[in-house]
Every structure is written in structure tokens, then in C-alpha cells.
Amino acid sequence: MNNSNSIDFSSPFWKAKYLLIDSRLLTAPSQTIFFALKGIKRDGQSFIEELYKKGVRKFVVTSDFDEGYKYKNAEFIYCLNTLDTLQKLTQYHRLQYPNLPVISITGSNAKTIVKEWLYSILEIDRNVVKSPKSYNSQIGVPLSVWQINEKHDLGIFEAGISKPNEMQHLASIIQPTIGLFTNIGSAHDKHFTSLEQKVKEKGSLINHCDYVIYCKDHQLIDAEMQTKSCTCVTWGYDQTASISIKNTENYTVNVVYRNTDYTLHIPFTDAASFENAMHCATMMVHLGYKFSEINNRIGKLKSIPMRLEKKEGIQQTTLINDFYNNDLGGLQIALSFLAQNQEHKSRTLILSDLLQGDTDKNALYKKVHELCNEYEITRFIGVGKQLQAHQEIFKGLNTSFFTDTNTFRKAIKNKSITFSKELILLKGARQFEFEKVAALLQKKIHSTQLEINLDAVTHNLMFYRSLLHSTTKIMVMVKALGYGSGKTELANTLQYNLVDYLGVAFADEGVELRENGIRTPIMVLTPSPDSFETMRMHQLEPEIYSIEMLDALEHYLEEEDTETAFKIQLNFDTGMHRLGFTEEELPYLFRVLDRLKNKVKVTGAFTHLAGADENIHDLYSKGQIESFKKTTALLEKNIGYTVIKHCLNSAGIVRYPDAQMDMVRLGIGLHGIEVNGMKQEDLHTVATLKTVIAQIKQMNTGDTVGYSRKGVVKGQRKIATIGIGYADGFDRRLSNGTGKVIINGYLAPIIGNVCMDMSMVDITDIPAEVGDEVIIFGRNRSISTIAKEINTIPYEILTSISQRVKRVYYMEG
């Protein structure tokens, strides 16, 4: 076994194009090294057999892997820690290019967008290698740096940390020559004692840089950077900054650089985009570009949707939008997201030319073709002169090629190219303006939409998983349309993250999941006897909760002759007094189970805690837990085998860690709502409900707004009508000032009654226009806040969102 420091990375074993940590991303098996990383629930070594069958022959494993003898033609490197070996290998790889200038970006926010903007303005005349999407972690950085080859003359890599002592690993891999510190904020605060400590930790990336670029107005960053030995290249309103701002007016910024006045044209006025653009402009100044050329390139920057979005398309299609960049790494990530969607539809890739500066376009597009085959793309549409010139490479696929986006859009409009029942990935470089293609392919429905952040779902799942023992299973509830978020899409994400069970309310919900490729065990909480056959056919486990349901089950099984036992779960009433067997009914239950012992298999037993979210009920809840333990002990004694025991919901996971038993049931917590209020800061917001302003009116004293004339105007007011009403799930109790929405960062109160399809808000002191976005709830206005305003619970707010409201699923970049 090798320590990472003793491995000879110059040996032939390490000659490979691809480093793989995720079996789904395999593209060229013979050119791949698989690193079997270990996670909380996922051990990469369990995928070795699958990858070997697909042709991978090089594996990096830990000492506890003792099955190497099974793979006669494979090579194995055994080490203490596979992640450490991955990092040391890529550190060695970086050292092979000592003259390559590398920009590395750190900070609390905007690392990815600054990187993408820098790439877009520098790849015009440089061969740039960069991090795919937001690959800035302990794993992402090594995979990014491995892309470096002899053709590149500039690297741009992100570096992100969430805990102390992480940056030193990333710095040793990236070995940057130029650092860029975006800003400092509250992200990941809980792992640092102060902002000063966080700045110092992030700033350690700069220790060996020749130059560092940052805004001098950030005093904590400036103080830390002044301790470095590198040259500081700064911008800001501080007159000692390298590029000092004299004044700004609309999009014009007058600056002084080396005692000379210049004008910069920044195409943004919001503070965040302005800061990001100034970072880019300052970098260009440092790299020697003239101000005229800087303005030319900066002026072409556009706001970037930093995420993959999944939307409903025309003609029963599903559309996945990813058009803020287009390079090979980003394409592979987007195809991976496509692959996680198990919908039984053919897969179509609409791709623009790749603009990553690779001089060997033939080899580049052969790699694209390999990816198409790996991810089972059945239809390929290429947009751009490069792809059209290399169309011969894509033989074997159903292909179409267009010289530019306008030509492609005309073909869609005149129906010379059509789409139906397809899963479509739109992947294009910014200059191809694929958002215009998306507008044609997206289903035209209600302007109100519920956005679901699948990265936040994963984060929240991992948070709750961190509270559990390693042996405790997780059932996630996806009933009621996944708490309004969409059960099929959530189930795909949860299945990938290896949850142990899914919970649905009715059998037809479980059937729909099965028909959409979900293989995870599923429990049906409120089954009906007439669905027993359906549940058995689709391997769904019904909850049996009463004598009547038990008798119906026995009657059904009397007519069945099968060798496979019907899996069921039992609900025991320990004090909720809703559903479940009572203590008095146990003898009858045990007698029936004995009669059915060859026909049923009890996989699980559970109970519901009536007051797990309030400490005033602690004594009662603990009594329920003890009662459940006694009941399940009797159950297991009578049936002669153990079952999966579970009693904790989201609130209980936090409040009663000693009662985890074999499994817990995660519901509202997955959606970023911690009902105890004890761990809310650890969760991420999953759902954002938004609409737009439909009309704005000027109104005077005495005018009334809405039905029943409940909204009475006092003084001169500006009233906006927004496209959401109670038919969308926007509760009428929010009428007449009770509820508020966010418009351009300001709270706007509801005026008058909420209507069926519309509501009105007072925007008198808010800068707003028709078409502006309106946030009902999201990161800056929580569902819990709205629930308190109308004296209800977050569950009701979430599950009330109408099915006519469009769901948009996305992953952050």
C-alpha cells in the first residue's frame, strides 16, 4: 500500500486523459483512471465491477479493497486515502507546466460568474483552460487542473472553502500566479470564528501569487492582502486604489489609472454585477489591454443564468436549458444532469460550436460524439459553422445542422424541424443566444412559476444525514406532489443520492414513480384495498393500519398463489390517534400475521409522534417512543424476524437523536424548513415562488382596488397588478396588507382582496416596471414568515401551490 507522497506519478499508470469519480460520467474507458472515493453513504469501490465491464482498467483504491483478484486485466493503485492521492496527482500535473500563468478566484460570492466572464473576454485571443461550472471544491479543483495541456497559455480556476485549513490543499494544486478576491460575506460562517479568520483562510490562496486583484473598499480584504508579498492591483472609490473611481453615472464610470483619466462603460447598474464587471476590467488592465478594448469586451457581457433549468416544453417535450457557456467539461456536466432524468423519452442534444480554443477541432468534436454515445443521445442538432464543417463525425445519430441560431429558429417557426415527446438539452455558448431558442421550445403557460433548487435539496438531505448514525436509513416523503415541489423530479434526485425509501400517499403516485424509472423502495401511506394488486405488481409496500385493512389484505391474498411474499409496513397508534393499530388490537394482528406468514413479509413498522415539533410535548413524545419500542418488540417476537422500525419525522430527527432506530422519515426538512427553529441556519432554501408585474396604475385618494372595494387608496399611490391569485395557491388571507411580496428588493404590501388569478400590491416607493419579477417566497422571504402572517403552517403554504403553476427545476452552476 502506498502513501500518496511515495507514489511515482511519472509511471505509465498515470498516462490517462480522464480522471473519473462518478461512474455516470464515463466517456472513454480505455483512457480513464477511476478514483474510488468514499462518502457518507456512497463508496466508490462498489462501482468497480460496473466500470470494469464497461472497459475501465485503471483503479485507485484504499487498502480495504480485497477483490482486485477478480479483475484479471485491471491495474490497481492501493493508497491510504484516494482523495489525497487525487490531489497529489493533479499537483504533480500542474508542476509539469511551470510557465503557465494561472488566475485563481476566491471569495464568498460570484466566483463562478467572474470566472465565466473572464473566460468569455479572454478566450478571444488566448487558449484558456478553466474550471467547469463551479468546480471549486477539494474534488472539483483537482478535476479542473487535470485539464491543463501544452496548448493552453492561461488558466482560470475557482477555489472555494467551507472550513478552516482547506485552502492550503487547493493552493498547492492550482499554484496560481494571479489571485482575484471577489468579496467576503456570510456563506459558511458557522465553521469560522470570525470574518477576519475567514478572510485569512481564503487569502492563503494568494500567498505565492505574484499579483492579487480585489476591491480596495473591502477593508478586511485590503488589510489581509497588504500582509502579502505580492503586488496588489486594486479598484474602488478609495483614492489610493490602483484604479480609483471618481464618479459613476448610469453605465459610465470615470476612473483614474496611473494619473490618467479614463472612462469605463459597465453594462450593469446593480451592485453585484457592477462589482463583478469591475473585477474583470481590472484584470484586463493588469494583463495589458487598452481601455478601448476593455470597453469593447466588457460591453458585451450579459447576466448569466448560473444554473441548469428543467422546464416543460412544447409537444410533450421536457426542456433542459444550459446556455451560459459551452465547453467540453460543462457539456459533460449537463449530460449528467440529463441522465438523472429517467423519463422514458428519446434524448435530443442541441449544441452550439464549442469555443474553448482547442486548435484540434476534429479531436474536440470526436469527444463530443463519444459523449453522445455514452449518454445515449438519439438526436443531435448542431448550430454553428464549426459543427457544420465537422458533421461527418456524428454519423450514426439522427442529425441536423444549422449555420447559426437565426437559421435554426426559422426552421422551428416554419416547422421544417419539429419536436415531440423528447428530452431536450439546450447547450450553447452565450454568443449563440440559445435563450431565444428556448423561448420557442418552452411551453407557453402561466407566468407564475415555482423554482426548485435541486442542489439545495441535496444539501438539506446531506445535513439531516449528518445527524444520523451510519446505520440509520432515510425515508423521504414525496407525497402531495413532493410537498408541492414535484414528486418525480425530487425522486430522481433522491434516488441518485441513495435514500433508502420513498413515501407516497396513494398507490397511483407510486406507480407514476415506477413508470419514470424510480427503483428505490416505496411505501404507500394511505392505500385502498382495491389497489393491492397494483401495489404488488409495482413492488410498492402498503401501510396496513387497521383491522379492516388487515382483513381486506387477507381476503386478497387468499385468492393469490405466488411464491413471492407481499411486502407491507405496519402502523401503530401510540398517541397520534389518527391511523394505526392500538394495543388492544395487537393479539388479532398477530394471529392474522401468523396465518399469512408465507404470503406477507413485514418490512417495517412505524408510528407518528403527535408533538415532535414543540418542547412542551417532550414528555408525551418520549412516552410514545417507549410505547412503540414495546409494541415492536412484541411484533418481532411473534413474527420471528426483525423489521425496520421508524418513528421520527423531520422535527423528531433534530429533537430526539436517541430515537433514530432503524430509519427516519424526512419531509418538510428536505425543503429547507426546520419547524423546531433549532437548525434553520443549516438548511438551504429549496423553493422560490415568483410571478411578474402585469400592469401599473397611478391612483388617488378615495379610489378603491379589487373586489368588494376593500383596498382604499390614501394619497397618490402607484399600484401594480401581479400575475398570481388564490387559484395558484396564493391564500386570500394575505389580502388587505396582511401579505407582502418582494419587488426589486423591496417589500410591497397586498392592497385589496386577492383575486382568483391576480393580486394588487402598493409599489408607490418602489422602482418597478411592467414585466419585473415578483418574489412571493424564497431565500429573502421565507415560507415560515408567510405562514405566521395567516396563522397556518409551512406545510399548507407549500402543498397549496396549484398544479397550474409551472415548476422549474435547476442546479446551480
Side-chain angles (χ1 to χ4, degrees), residues 92 97 255 305 341 532 590 715 720:
Y92 172 84
Y97 303 92
V255 302
N341 292 272
F532 281 146
F590 295 156

Side-chain angles (χ1 to χ4, degrees), residues 129-399:
V129 56
K130 69 177 178 68
S131 310
K133 286 194 174 284
S134 56
Y135 271 33
N136 58 36
S137 67
Q138 300 294 308
I139 296 172
V141 166
L143 297 179
S144 300
V145 168
W146 185 254
Q147 299 175 105
I148 297 173
N149 63 46
E150 63 279 354
K151 298 175 183 176
H152 296 126
D153 52 38
L154 179 67
I156 309 176
F157 301 111
E158 299 178 49
I161 61 171
S162 58
K163 298 177 182 178
N165 304 315
E166 288 185 333
M167 188 61 85
Q168 58 186 342
H169 300 294
L170 304 186
S172 66
I173 298 167
I174 299 172
Q175 299 165 41
T177 56
I178 305 172
L180 194 159
F181 205 134
T182 59
N183 49 48
I184 197 68
S186 59
H188 306 296
D189 264 359
K190 67 176 182 175
H191 296 297
F192 298 93
T193 58
S194 64
L195 274 180
E196 286 82 359
Q197 185 201 18
K198 189 196 294 189
V199 169
K200 192 173 188 65
E201 290 287 342
K202 289 180 178 289
S204 64
L205 176 71
I206 315 298
N207 286 348
H208 302 292
C209 288
D210 298 320
Y211 300 92
V212 60
I213 289 166
Y214 62 93
C215 176
K216 194 171 181 64
D217 300 332
H218 290 297
Q219 296 180 359
L220 286 178
I221 297 175
D222 185 47
E224 179 62 25
M225 293 303 101
Q226 293 298 329
T227 68
K228 309 295 182 184
S229 59
C230 60
T231 300
C232 296
V233 182
T234 62
W235 68 272
Y237 290 92
D238 188 315
Q239 294 306 297
T240 64
S242 308
I243 300 175
S244 64
I245 299 175
K246 292 173 63 177
N247 57 70
T248 61
E249 184 175 348
N250 294 326
Y251 302 110
T252 301
V253 184
N254 296 310
V255 302
V256 177
Y257 174 64
R258 293 182 175 175
N259 299 317
T260 303
D261 288 353
Y262 295 96
T263 298
L264 285 171
H265 300 289
I266 303 296
F268 308 99
T269 56
D270 66 284
S273 298
F274 178 83
E275 180 177 75
N276 299 335
M278 283 301 300
H279 286 319
C280 294
T282 305
M283 178 65 73
M284 291 189 73
V285 169
H286 168 67
L287 294 176
Y289 289 88
K290 295 180 179 179
F291 274 80
S292 57
E293 183 60 23
I294 293 171
N295 281 323
N296 179 43
R297 298 191 189 187
I298 294 292
K300 295 176 181 178
L301 293 177
K302 296 181 180 180
S303 296
I304 295 175
M306 306 299 290
R307 61 197 198 184
L308 287 153
E309 289 187 336
K310 179 181 175 183
K311 299 183 176 182
E312 189 176 355
I314 59 173
Q315 300 297 320
Q316 300 180 59
T317 60
T318 300
L319 194 62
I320 296 176
N321 294 336
D322 184 19
F323 32 78
Y324 77 83
N325 72 8
N326 203 21
D327 56 62
L328 202 63
L331 174 60
Q332 192 164 1
I333 293 170
L335 287 169
S336 172
F337 182 66
L338 178 101
Q340 291 180 41
N341 292 272
Q342 300 295 322
E343 298 170 60
H344 298 304
K345 296 179 178 179
S346 59
R347 296 177 178 179
T348 298
L349 171 61
I350 302 174
L351 183 74
S352 78
D353 286 347
L354 272 66
L355 305 177
Q356 59 190 74
D358 198 322
T359 55
D360 190 351
K361 296 299 180 184
N362 196 58
L364 181 66
Y365 290 118
K366 281 184 178 179
K367 292 176 185 176
V368 173
H369 187 238
E370 288 175 2
L371 287 171
C372 289
N373 290 330
E374 178 67 25
Y375 289 97
E376 300 177 351
I377 298 299
T378 52
R379 185 182 188 190
F380 180 86
I381 298 172
V383 180
K385 294 179 180 178
Q386 289 180 15
L387 278 165
Q388 194 166 49
H390 292 85
Q391 58 184 280
E392 289 296 314
I393 291 173
F394 296 90
K395 282 185 176 179
L397 294 173
N398 176 8
T399 60

Side-chain angles (χ1 to χ4, degrees), residues 463-631:
F463 167 71
Y464 280 100
R465 187 170 273 166
S466 73
L467 302 180
L468 303 178
H469 305 309
S470 60
T471 56
T472 303
K473 300 178 185 295
I474 294 183
M475 175 188 290
V476 177
M477 313 311 292
V478 292
K479 60 181 181 175
L481 278 175
Y483 287 73
S485 298
K487 55 185 177 296
T488 302
E489 291 76 10
L490 281 182
N492 273 308
T493 299
L494 296 168
Q495 178 170 263
Y496 173 69
N497 284 287
L498 301 179
V499 300
D500 302 282
Y501 265 87
L502 298 173
V504 299
F506 304 106
D508 57 351
E509 293 180 324
V511 171
E512 184 181 346
L513 293 181
R514 289 285 185 250
E515 290 176 344
N516 282 279
I518 301 302
R519 303 174 301 279
T520 302
I522 297 173
M523 182 178 79
V524 181
L525 278 84
T526 49
S528 61
D530 59 7
S531 64
F532 281 146
E533 179 62 29
T534 297
M535 288 185 286
R536 184 176 186 133
M537 185 187 308
H538 291 90
Q539 297 181 299
L540 308 176
E541 301 177 20
E543 167 195 337
I544 306 300
Y545 54 81
S546 68
I547 296 294
E548 293 77 13
M549 181 68 72
L550 183 66
D551 289 343
L553 176 66
E554 184 174 24
H555 177 71
Y556 163 72
L557 291 173
E558 284 174 354
E559 302 175 359
E560 288 294 305
D561 185 19
T562 177
E563 296 180 359
T564 304
F566 191 7
K567 293 180 178 180
I568 65 171
Q569 299 223 16
L570 300 174
N571 182 356
F572 294 103
D573 184 4
T574 60
M576 181 77 162
H577 303 319
R578 185 173 62 181
L579 297 177
F581 291 98
T582 63
E583 185 176 351
E584 293 74 23
E585 293 171 330
L586 294 183
Y588 185 86
L589 169 65
F590 295 156
R591 287 196 298 272
V592 175
L593 290 177
D594 186 58
R595 292 198 297 267
L596 298 176
K597 60 185 176 183
N598 295 322
K599 292 192 173 185
V600 300
K601 169 74 173 180
V602 181
T603 58
F606 65 99
T607 192
H608 290 281
L609 301 184
D613 56 345
E614 295 182 282
N615 59 9
I616 60 172
H617 302 304
D618 275 355
L619 190 61
Y620 190 84
S621 296
K622 290 175 181 177
Q624 283 191 265
I625 293 168
E626 290 307 311
S627 175
F628 180 63
K629 288 179 179 178
K630 292 176 183 178
T631 299

